[in-house]
Amino acid sequence: MKYTLEYPSELPTAPDDFLRPDVIREVATQAEAAGFSAVALSEHPAPSAKWRSNGGHNTLDPIAALSFMAAATSRIRLMTNLYVLPFRNPYLSAKALGSLDLVSGGRLIAGVGAGYLRSEFSAVGVDIDRRAELLDEALTALRSIWTEPETPFTGADFAAVGVVHLQHPVQRPHPPIWIGGNGAAAIRRVVEHGDGWMPIIAAAGMASTMRTAAIENTEQFGDAAARLRNRLADAGRDPSTVDIQVVCPPTDLDDAASLRRARDTLAELIGHGATWAVVHVDGSSPQSALDYIKAFGAEMDLVATRDISESRV
């Protein structure tokens, strides 16, 4: 199992201190030193005040913030969780994400999804009812632009009219594309385009808010993961080459019972095919986050390696 640190500003109660550059640098370098495999940020360019006051969180532009973290680190991967492809022209997404891969020396994991906040789609001028169509188009375009950047790509609302001059990303054939969502369409997209799947295990109400199908427990996750493996095999793809990232259960590192429950749940998820887990740390203050990151790395016996980190347990 590999672990991703969700940057603590993404917690609803995290103070604004996590937006300071010195704190961003300290958290990223501590995560790398502790053996985390990746650090992640979501994307919300225009979240509503209503969303923020009802469980939302502070946001940073993920390309800017992850590029800053890339400069402060050398091994840890930089993950978008999630980058909303329907918000923009695929050429803009390919340029931004590809640039992050370049400046990080090939450490990008492009976690992408459809988005879900109606007010945010309105703010950026995109019809939310086209989100699925635009996501499918963008996934096809992204791979084409990255692998054959000189070849013009045409979409429903845009067209490159001649040979394009763009740089290849560092990672070949392209940075790993991990796709969010729980339903049949998400699984289809992973089979067709993805190197990873990022489902959400949550109550039906939260899944509905995020406009995705509900996966409420480890058993339902196991069923969905089995469907993905079967679809991959049917498509001639090796299921073992596709990562699956889940959320690590909330864990009180000072409570033996809490640690035991977390380990048991993670073991179940691993048994069903999970390969990565997103960790939410103590976000009450920067120092609390740094202490938690260090303690989590020690407790879970994370092993820092040259390219990536993983847990021995």
Side-chain angles (χ1 to χ4, degrees):
M1 175 69 79
K2 301 178 181 70
Y3 291 91
T4 299
L5 170 68
E6 183 173 89
Y7 187 70
S9 67
E10 308 257 316
L11 295 168
T13 57
D16 292 349
D17 293 349
F18 285 104
L19 306 180
R20 289 173 15 210
D22 58 318
V23 173
I24 296 171
R25 184 183 301 107
E26 283 185 291
V27 169
T29 55
Q30 180 75 292
E32 181 169 79
F36 279 81
S37 298
V39 58
L41 283 164
S42 65
E43 179 180 44
H44 284 288
S48 67
K50 179 181 178 181
W51 174 82
R52 179 66 179 91
S53 61
N54 286 275
H57 52 79
N58 284 337
T59 62
L60 290 164
D61 178 87
I63 304 301
L66 291 172
S67 295
F68 181 86
M69 294 178 191
T73 58
S74 59
R75 294 187 310 272
I76 196 166
R77 290 187 179 269
L78 298 313
M79 180 187 294
T80 54
N81 184 20
L82 296 166
Y83 193 75
V84 183
L85 289 178
F87 280 166
R88 60 184 62 76
N89 180 298
Y91 272 105
L92 296 178
S93 296
K95 186 70 170 183
L97 291 165
S99 295
L100 176 53
D101 196 56
L102 282 164
V103 302
S104 68
R107 288 187 279 149
L108 169 68
I109 296 175
V112 300
Y116 66 94
L117 283 176
R118 182 173 293 275
S119 62
E120 197 161 32
F121 273 84
S122 178
V124 299
V126 177
D127 181 359
I128 193 172
D129 294 329
R130 296 185 64 201
R131 59 198 276 273
E133 165 203 345
L134 293 172
L135 177 56
D136 285 329
E137 177 183 75
L139 285 166
T140 301
L142 198 60
R143 293 174 68 198
S144 175
I145 295 165
W146 278 343
T147 56
E148 299 180 75
E150 68 284 350
T151 302
F153 191 93
T154 297
D157 305 309
F158 68 95
V161 297
V163 177
V164 180
H165 179 76
L166 291 171
Q167 295 75 34
H168 284 276
V170 173
Q171 298 180 81
R172 301 294 182 91
H174 55 73
I177 299 171
W178 292 10
I179 297 169
N182 289 357
I187 288 175
R188 171 185 60 76
R189 290 177 181 121
V190 175
V191 172
E192 293 177 358
H193 303 285
D195 305 290
W197 179 40
M198 309 169 84
I200 295 292
I201 302 174
M206 178 176 290
S208 176
T209 297
M210 299 182 74
R211 301 178 190 272
T212 192
I215 296 177
E216 297 189 75
N217 51 53
T218 55
E219 291 78 14
Q220 291 179 10
F221 165 73
D223 292 341
R227 288 195 295 274
L228 173 61
R229 287 193 295 272
N230 290 337
R231 290 284 303 274
L232 287 166
D234 289 344
R237 297 188 60 190
D238 180 357
S240 69
T241 64
V242 175
D243 282 297
I244 301 177
Q245 180 169 266
V246 295
V247 176
C248 182
T251 310
D252 182 346
L253 298 177
D254 295 321
D255 184 329
S258 177
L259 270 169
R260 186 169 57 253
R261 285 193 299 271
R263 290 183 186 278
D264 289 346
T265 300
L266 286 168
E268 283 187 63
L269 293 168
I270 292 169
H272 288 308
T275 56
W276 289 63
V278 175
V279 179
H280 298 140
V281 303
D282 182 348
S284 57
S285 71
Q287 189 58 55
S288 296
L290 293 169
D291 291 344
Y292 191 102
I293 290 166
K294 183 177 181 180
F296 186 92
E299 187 63 47
M300 302 304 286
D301 199 18
L302 303 192
V303 186
T305 65
R306 183 175 181 273
D307 296 316
I308 205 161
S309 307
E310 60 184 319
S311 172
R312 289 195 181 99
V313 295

